[in-house]
Amino acid sequence: MRYDLIIFDNDGVLVDSEPISNRLLAAYLTELGHPTTYEESIRDYMGSAMHRIHDLVLARHGRTLPADFDDTFHERVFEAFRRELEPVAGAAEVVEKLRADGVRYCLASSGSHDRIRVALRRTGLYGLFGEGRIFSSQDVGRGKPAPDLFLHAAATMGVEPARCAVVEDSPLGVEAAVAAGMDVYGFTAMTPAAKLHRATALFSDMSRLPSLLG
């Protein structure tokens, strides 16, 4: 293994949450008078921290979202997660292999700490991480595409950025990893490969990841 730390995104990489959360986000924004399709939500908001959603809506429509937007959205998402959410096929096996091989790993997500934990517990992945390996955009000033979250995760884990590999499925996440000076492996199961063109390598089947990481 040529890396000392593997940093996983959560949504769309470990848990198959993007279809659920973007369906709900599009519906909620439309309900609030900002017509948004599912496809537009995927295009504009996938991989974003919540503050970016607020910023884009304000820039486009000249109106702020309600003060309780985040809480209401998360309530809807958590309820759906508890009913529907499944792990990404092969994700648990990849993490288990890293653990068995003694390779360090962690999770760094744009989602809130509550969202991450609801998702991991529902999908049975929480036990593979635990509190010491979970990082959220809430921990830093700026979410992806800024590099802050990945740099924070690496620093906390005691690993130089150049010795880290990031596993991402969103253009914003790939940009953040590149800005952090890390190699990044783009998961194309849901995202067109062309949108992740800055990644070190691309893959569409999680079982291929261990061989790519080397």
Side-chain angles (χ1 to χ4, degrees), residues 153-170:
T156 303
M157 299 293 289
V159 179
E160 291 295 320
R163 298 292 302 165
C164 297
V166 174
V167 185
E168 265 287 355
D169 73 323
S170 76

Side-chain angles (χ1 to χ4, degrees), residues 88-124:
V88 167
E93 290 79 3
V94 168
V95 177
E96 287 168 352
K97 177 171 173 47
L98 292 175
R99 182 167 67 173
D101 292 344
V103 179
R104 301 179 72 194
Y105 61 88
C106 67
L107 180 162
S109 170
S110 292
S112 68
H113 277 289
D114 285 345
R115 174 182 172 128
I116 295 166
R117 284 158 179 77
V118 167
L120 293 181
R121 290 190 174 107
R122 158 66 190 183
T123 56

Side-chain angles (χ1 to χ4, degrees), residues 69-205:
F69 178 86
D70 291 13
D71 289 340
T72 300
F73 176 61
H74 283 134
E75 285 175 9
R76 297 181 183 187
V77 168
F78 294 172
E79 181 181 349
F81 277 7
R82 293 185 181 105
R83 293 194 314 268
E84 307 173 37
L85 188 62
E86 298 292 338
V88 167
E93 290 79 3
V94 168
V95 177
E96 287 168 352
K97 177 171 173 47
L98 292 175
R99 182 167 67 173
D101 292 344
V103 179
R104 301 179 72 194
Y105 61 88
C106 67
L107 180 162
S109 170
S110 292
S112 68
H113 277 289
D114 285 345
R115 174 182 172 128
I116 295 166
R117 284 158 179 77
V118 167
L120 293 181
R121 290 190 174 107
R122 158 66 190 183
T123 56
L125 297 174
Y126 181 80
L128 292 173
F129 287 89
E131 294 306 305
R133 292 191 177 105
I134 296 174
F135 304 96
S136 162
S137 62
Q138 290 180 313
D139 301 330
V140 295
R142 300 179 299 167
K144 305 168 189 178
D148 304 35
L149 175 57
F150 291 140
L151 292 174
H152 169 67
T156 303
M157 299 293 289
V159 179
E160 291 295 320
R163 298 292 302 165
C164 297
V166 174
V167 185
E168 265 287 355
D169 73 323
S170 76
L172 294 176
V174 169
E175 288 181 38
V178 171
M182 300 176 182
D183 284 354
V184 54
Y185 293 82
F187 185 44
T188 62
M190 188 170 170
T191 308
K195 292 190 174 183
L196 304 180
H197 67 279
R198 298 190 69 194
T200 307
L202 301 174
F203 67 106
S204 59
D205 184 337

Side-chain angles (χ1 to χ4, degrees), residues 22 26 58 183:
N22 282 282
L58 178 60
D183 284 354

